[in-house]
C-alpha cells in the first residue's frame, strides 16, 4: 500500500463519513487525485469498522464531525431542495420529449406535479376552523325521508 498524502486521507475520511461505500471512494479518489487504491485501504480510514481501529485521532474526529454535519445540514445536498429537483425533472422531461418518448415525458410531468403538490413531503394541512369560520363545531343534522312501500 502506498502512503497517502493528508489531503487524500481527508478526502477518504470525509467520503466515508458521508456514507459513500469503499468502492465508490476508490472511484472518487481515482477521478479526483489520479491514484489507484484498494477498497481495503479505504476501509482502514473508517473508524466505525474493525479495519479502522488504528486510525489517528485527528482522522477519527474529522470523520465524526463530518458525519454529524452531513446528517444535520440538508441544505448542502442539492437534491434535498425542491427547486433543484424540479429543474432536473424539467431537463429530463425536455430530453424525453426530444427523443419522442412520450410515456417517459408524461411520467416525469406527473412526478413534477406531485413534487409541486407536496406529495413527497410529510407536511400535513390541518383545518382549525369550521366551514363558517368560527371555532365552534356545528351539529350534525340527520334528515329522515319517508319511503313509500312497494306494492
Amino acid at each position: 500500500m502506498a502512503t497517502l498524502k493528508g489531503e487524500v486521507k481527508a478526502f477518504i475520511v470525509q467520503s466515508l463519513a458521508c456514507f459513500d461505500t469503499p468502492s465508490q471512494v476508490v472511484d472518487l479518489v481515482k477521478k479526483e487525485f489520479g491514484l489507484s487504491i484498494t477498497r481495503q485501504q479505504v476501509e482502514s480510514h473508517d473508524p466505525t469498522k474493525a479495519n479502522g481501529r488504528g486510525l489517528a485521532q485527528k482522522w477519527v474526529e474529522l470523520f465524526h464531525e463530518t458525519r454529524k454535519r452531513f446528517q444535520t445540514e440538508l441544505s448542502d445536498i442539492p437534491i434535498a431542495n425542491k427547486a433543484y429537483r424540479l429543474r432536473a425533472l424539467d431537463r429530463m422531461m425536455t430530453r424525453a420529449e426530444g427523443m419522442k418518448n412520450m410515456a417517459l415525458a408524461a411520467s416525469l410531468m406527473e412526478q413534477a406535479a406531485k413534487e409541486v403538490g407536496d406529495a413527497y413531503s410529510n407536511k400535513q394541512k390541518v383545518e382549525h376552523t369550521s366551514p363558517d369560520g368560527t371555532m365552534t363545531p356545528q351539529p350534525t343534522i340527520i334528515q329522515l325521508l319517508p319511503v313509500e312501500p312497494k306494492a
Side-chain angles (χ1 to χ4, degrees):
M1 279 195 302
T3 304
L4 301 174
K5 293 182 180 178
E7 67 178 315
V8 178
K9 287 183 180 182
F11 182 84
I12 293 170
V13 168
Q14 289 176 320
S15 296
L16 291 170
C18 293
F19 299 102
D20 287 343
T21 65
S23 297
Q24 290 172 323
V25 176
V26 166
D27 293 339
L28 290 170
V29 168
K30 179 75 172 175
K31 287 178 191 170
E32 190 76 22
F33 299 100
L35 296 174
S36 294
I37 58 175
T38 64
R39 285 190 338 247
Q40 291 78 14
Q41 196 171 5
V42 170
E43 287 176 351
S44 70
H45 291 81
D46 188 344
T48 65
K49 303 283 191 243
N51 288 348
R53 282 190 304 253
L55 194 60
Q57 186 61 32
K58 74 175 189 175
W59 301 122
V60 173
E61 289 172 5
L62 177 64
F63 178 91
H64 291 298
E65 287 171 15
T66 303
R67 177 149 298 173
K68 181 180 178 188
R69 204 173 130 244
F70 180 78
Q71 291 176 326
T72 58
E73 294 183 15
L74 286 177
S75 62
D76 290 347
I77 304 169
I79 202 162
N81 184 314
K82 185 191 291 190
Y84 175 87
R85 291 190 303 268
L86 286 170
R87 285 185 62 208
L89 285 169
D90 181 56
R91 286 191 304 268
M92 288 185 271
M93 195 278 305
T94 303
R95 183 173 283 162
E97 249 183 347
M99 296 184 325
K100 306 281 190 245
N101 189 343
M102 296 306 154
L104 177 59
S107 171
L108 291 167
M109 287 171 44
E110 178 184 3
Q111 187 174 348
K114 288 178 181 175
E115 182 72 44
V116 171
D118 288 331
Y120 295 119
S121 73
N122 64 357
K123 292 180 186 173
Q124 296 181 357
K125 295 177 179 144
V126 179
E127 186 65 40
H128 293 288
T129 60
S130 58
D132 65 356
T134 65
M135 296 288 286
T136 57
Q138 298 295 318
T140 303
I141 300 172
I142 301 173
Q143 185 176 11
L144 301 174
L145 301 173
V147 177
E148 294 185 24
K150 292 185 180 181

